Amino acid sequence: MIHSYWAYFVLALLLITIVKTILNLKKEYTLQDVRLPLFTLIASHIQLFIGLAWYFMSPAYKSLKENGMGATMKDGATRLLAVEHPIMMILAIVFITIGFSKHKKKTTDAGKFKTLAIWYGLALVLILSRIPWSNWF
Ligand code: HEM
């Protein structure tokens, strides 16, 4: 349940960060601009830890262990929960982490905002593509 509710928070933060970053593209980067991307980074890492802990207790993992990888990959619903969702979400969180670290190293204001927009944007696409929507709603 925590993983399910925290997902709203992560998605909202990610969306707000991307929109704000795009709106700021031509503005000056101030110390305050680091806050939102940093909160998003922290929130996504918390989601990663909750997700990992839940994964090994989940019915999807149990089914993977009992039926093996071959059978899991043949069934779209189980494949999404046991394989695609975890892998894509980890990749998305890696993108957020890369984006945050790279944006800090950029020397121009526009470079910082652009780096954030690209990496956080890619992460959002991955997340939206592999959320188990039918389980969530
Ligand atoms: C930004 C990262 C993530 C987001 C936004 C996210 C979001 C979600 C959502 C919305 C659900 C459906 C919740 C429900 O059933 O009510 C879900 C389920 C789940 N997620 Fe994630 N998740 C993320 C990362 C991860 C990671 C990294 C793992 C594991 C390594 C993971 C493992 C799971 C598992 C095991 C389920 C439940 C599958 C089942 O119902 O059996 N998630 N996630």
Side-chain angles (χ1 to χ4, degrees):
M1 263 179 73
I2 298 173
H3 188 71
S4 175
Y5 287 125
W6 197 256
Y8 287 105
F9 186 54
V10 174
L11 268 181
L13 268 178
L14 190 56
L15 258 174
I16 296 168
T17 307
I18 293 168
V19 171
K20 223 180 151 230
T21 302
I22 292 171
L23 292 177
N24 281 349
L25 271 178
K26 287 192 176 137
K27 292 190 184 150
E28 190 187 334
Y29 182 93
T30 66
L31 261 185
Q32 301 218 340
D33 290 312
V34 82
R35 274 195 209 153
L36 210 46
L38 180 63
F39 288 156
T40 308
L41 175 81
I42 295 169
S44 68
H45 281 225
I46 292 173
Q47 181 72 340
L48 170 69
F49 288 115
I50 304 169
L52 278 174
W54 169 223
Y55 182 75
F56 295 104
M57 297 184 265
S58 72
Y61 178 68
K62 198 170 160 233
S63 154
L64 178 67
K65 253 187 14 190
E66 280 170 7
N67 305 319
M69 188 53 98
T72 304
M73 293 307 277
K74 276 189 201 130
D75 176 41
T78 326
R79 186 175 68 228
L80 173 65
L81 297 175
V83 182
E84 294 173 353
H85 174 70
I87 291 177
M88 287 303 219
M89 298 305 119
I90 291 172
L91 196 61
I93 295 166
V94 167
F95 280 9
I96 291 174
T97 313
I98 293 175
F100 186 79
S101 136
K102 275 186 175 295
H103 106 279
K104 284 205 325 192
K105 293 181 191 138
K106 293 282 168 188
T107 48
T108 62
D109 296 346
K112 284 178 185 294
F113 286 127
K114 229 188 255 175
T115 307
L116 275 178
I118 291 170
W119 287 96
Y120 278 47
L122 284 174
L124 180 66
V125 172
L126 289 188
I127 292 173
L128 293 182
S129 77
R130 282 300 171 270
I131 274 187
W133 294 103
S134 50
N135 289 37
W136 200 16
F137 293 117

